[in-house]
Amino acid sequence: MYLWMSIWTALLLISGLAFLVVLVYVVSGVKAELKATLNDLRADVNESQAHEEILDRPIE
């Protein structure tokens, strides 16, 4: 009985730790992807602000 409880507890601890590792890995990947997207958007905004005269003229 004690052996099974020890094995079960070890499996729960290992699976919980593995879940936390995967969670940290996914969160860091998402954060890096969002940072890259934000940098792309900033570059697009800066480019559009450099050419405001093109954006302000009416469409013919």
Side-chain angles (χ1 to χ4, degrees):
M1 178 85 175
Y2 179 74
L3 178 65
W4 287 110
M5 289 172 55
S6 298
I7 292 172
W8 182 246
T9 302
L11 285 174
L12 282 175
L13 289 174
I14 291 170
S15 63
L17 184 63
F19 175 76
L20 289 177
V21 168
V22 169
L23 187 65
V24 167
Y25 178 74
V26 169
V27 166
S28 64
V30 168
K31 187 176 177 182
E33 192 67 31
L34 286 175
K35 189 176 282 190
T37 303
L38 182 62
N39 287 336
D40 290 344
L41 287 173
R42 282 185 181 147
D44 289 344
V45 167
N46 289 338
E47 184 178 349
S48 67
Q49 286 176 346
H51 302 287
E52 287 184 11
E53 67 281 353
I54 296 173
L55 297 175
D56 290 339
R57 69 178 179 204
I59 299 174
E60 297 173 357

